[in-house]
């Protein structure tokens, strides 16, 4: 049975306690989470645990936000 949440005006925010988690659980190998629109991930670490990853764009930007000459940590790459 499907459930729908519609917010016709304004934004929708989910907030948990500091250090809390939000889990979208479709069950082990059972479903898909689809995000329509843009996805912004703000944090210091983004971890993707996947067997296959497909990127349609032909440009991957590394060291975005670097200031000055050179690379701060003396290394960059995939």
């Amino acid at each position: 049975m499907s459930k729908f949440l519609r917010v016709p005006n304004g934004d929708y925010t989910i907030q948990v306690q500091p250090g809390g988690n939000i889990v979208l659980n479709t069950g082990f190998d059972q479903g898909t989470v689809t995000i329509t629109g843009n996805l912004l991930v703000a944090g210091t670490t983004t971890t993707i645990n996947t067997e296959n990853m497909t990127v349609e764009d032909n440009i991957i930007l590394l060291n975005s936000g670097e200031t000055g000459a050179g690379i701060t940590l003396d290394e960059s790459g995939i």
Side-chain angles (χ1 to χ4, degrees):
M1 176 196 282
S2 296
K3 305 268 191 250
F4 293 93
L5 171 66
R6 295 189 194 280
V7 181
N9 297 307
D11 298 328
Y12 184 76
T13 300
I14 299 172
Q15 184 174 358
V16 297
Q17 66 189 4
N21 297 302
I22 297 172
V23 177
L24 303 174
N25 185 348
T26 65
F28 178 74
D29 202 26
Q30 296 298 310
T32 301
V33 175
T34 301
I35 299 171
T36 60
N38 297 325
L39 172 64
L40 172 64
V41 178
T44 56
T45 302
T46 302
T47 302
I48 300 172
N49 184 6
T50 185
E51 198 169 299
N52 297 299
M53 184 170 81
T54 302
V55 178
E56 186 174 315
D57 201 329
N58 64 336
I59 298 172
I60 298 174
L61 177 62
L62 302 176
N63 292 349
S64 175
E66 272 293 323
T67 58
I71 300 170
T72 304
L73 297 177
D74 294 327
E75 65 180 316
S76 176
I78 295 178

